[in-house]
Amino acid sequence: MFSFSRLMLTLSLPLVTLGITPLLAQAADFPTKPVKIVVPVSAGGSADKLTRILADKLSAKWGQSVVVENVPGASGTIGAARVAKAKPDGYTLLQTGEALTLNALLIKTLPYDSATAFQPVIKAVVNPQILVVNPKLGIDTFAQYIAVSKNQPGSISLGLPTSGGIAQIAHEILNRQTGGSVNFIPYPGGGPAAVDVIAGHTNATLITLAAVTEYVKSGQLKALAVTTPYRSDALPEVPTMAESGAPGFSVESWQGYLAPAGTPAAVVNKLNQDLVAVLKDPDVKAHLETLGYGVAASTPEQLATTLSEDHQRYGKIISEAGISIQ
């Protein structure tokens, strides 16, 4: 069981016992050199887009470079491992979401302990996953997609932004609800997965909505349905899966940032406060919502709760459905 809340309490004890003045001074000066944000998937996807938007704003706010480093591979665990081993000073952050929990549940051996290696900083945004297909495929509705996946099992090739990520879990849940089956093809990120659907190399992808909003609006991809119980204001004409043939279906993903465990609480709070300020800037918020994100701007404690709840929810789903990642 994840124990991020206990971890945060443990990390905060030195502030009480040793005094907060040195750490507050450290946070007040932070950052005094470039900050690196590791995005554990390829460039071009929603995680990369979000992080680059925030990095530009933070760089202007801090007067320091904020470098985005894409480290794809092994379902995001290579990038996560790099941050887990980084110096806990706030200068190296990890972009992640529910993938951190899913990897812990589905991968037997990880190069880090997900429950103790990281310090929650912020849940930045929430977002639907969206099912999109190549417009020339001949499937125009979610109901048609389900019918083909049931009547012609495995005939639809579906690119996954990453093996074992929320898209695969969501589609596995959908398969079990509808009786369908598709051919999963893992990619090292949402960008490459979407590009291959556009090019016709694969038929479809289930992906974070913000990664393909512009492709849908331009007609390069055909949107069939979103995974959340609500429609997205960015693409309000796209129905939910629940209203289109999968009653009760609901999956919402999130994206946020973590620091290595042991990062001083005052520095974590400074990072959180500055990220919240950027996320709530009216222009930034409007831009993110246009792309399809919902701004969450949580506290570190709220992110710790999300991580714990994810572990319980997805652990139950994976166990009951017998989901495994090869």
Side-chain angles (χ1 to χ4, degrees):
M1 183 68 68
F2 276 71
S3 57
F4 283 106
S5 295
R6 292 200 302 274
L7 170 63
M8 292 180 64
L9 177 60
T10 301
L11 292 174
S12 68
L13 288 177
L15 293 176
V16 177
T17 59
L18 300 179
I20 64 173
T21 302
L23 291 178
L24 289 177
Q26 181 180 358
D29 294 337
F30 181 89
T32 58
K33 60 182 182 180
V35 174
K36 178 169 65 179
I37 304 178
V38 173
V39 177
V41 294
S42 297
S46 62
D48 184 67
K49 288 181 179 179
L50 171 68
T51 303
R52 291 183 187 278
I53 290 170
L54 299 183
D56 286 345
K57 296 298 181 180
L58 287 172
S59 180
K61 185 178 185 65
W62 289 337
Q64 294 286 346
S65 297
V66 180
V67 180
V68 178
E69 182 178 357
N70 296 92
V71 185
S75 300
T77 61
I78 296 176
R82 184 170 299 186
V83 176
K85 297 173 184 176
K87 186 177 180 179
D89 56 7
Y91 288 94
T92 304
L93 303 176
L94 173 68
Q95 184 283 327
T96 192
E98 59 285 318
L100 185 73
T101 299
L102 294 175
N103 285 339
L105 291 166
L106 292 166
I107 300 175
K108 291 182 179 179
T109 303
L110 289 172
Y112 51 85
D113 183 345
S114 299
T116 60
F118 305 102
Q119 168 66 53
V121 175
I122 189 169
K123 176 164 71 172
V125 298
V126 294
N127 26 240
Q129 298 291 301
I130 186 169
L131 179 63
V132 294
V133 298
N134 185 292
K136 297 179 182 179
L137 182 61
I139 295 178
D140 297 317
T141 67
F142 181 66
Q144 290 174 347
Y145 177 89
I146 292 302
V148 172
S149 71
K150 288 176 63 177
N151 299 327
Q152 303 174 47
S155 63
I156 296 174
S157 58
L158 185 129
L160 293 170
T162 184
S163 178
I166 190 64
Q168 183 167 359
I169 298 303
H171 208 295
E172 292 278 17
I173 297 169
L174 181 66
N175 287 346
R176 283 161 175 75
Q177 181 172 344
T178 63
S181 175
V182 300
N183 180 24
F184 291 131
I185 302 176
Y187 283 81
V195 168
D196 265 14
V197 178
I198 293 171
H201 300 313
T202 50
N203 302 140
T205 184
L206 185 61
I207 193 169
T208 301
L209 185 144
V212 294
T213 306
E214 295 167 357
Y215 294 141
V216 172
K217 289 180 177 179
S218 68
Q220 293 173 277
L221 291 172
K222 171 72 176 178
L224 302 184
V226 296
T227 59
T228 45
Y230 56 85
R231 296 190 181 198
S232 169
D233 289 340
L235 296 170
E237 71 282 1
V238 180
T240 68
M241 291 184 178
E243 66 183 298
S244 305
F249 191 91
S250 175
V251 172
E252 180 183 72
S253 61
W254 62 270
Q255 296 181 45
Y257 300 90
L258 305 178
T263 301
V267 173
V268 170
N269 289 335
K270 176 68 160 51
L271 285 164
N272 177 270
Q273 290 167 10
D274 289 348
L275 278 162
V276 167
V278 167
L279 286 162
K280 291 188 175 181
D281 176 89
D283 291 338
V284 174
K285 185 173 183 291
H287 180 46
L288 292 175
E289 289 174 346
T290 298
L291 292 174
Y293 295 110
V295 172
S298 80
T299 64
E301 292 82 4
Q302 288 168 335
L303 175 51
T305 297
T306 293
L307 288 164
S308 177
E309 290 174 347
D310 279 357
H311 192 273
Q312 294 178 41
R313 183 194 182 201
Y314 292 122
K316 185 173 185 289
I317 290 172
I318 288 168
S319 176
E320 291 179 349
I323 297 171
S324 62
I325 303 303
Q326 303 300 321

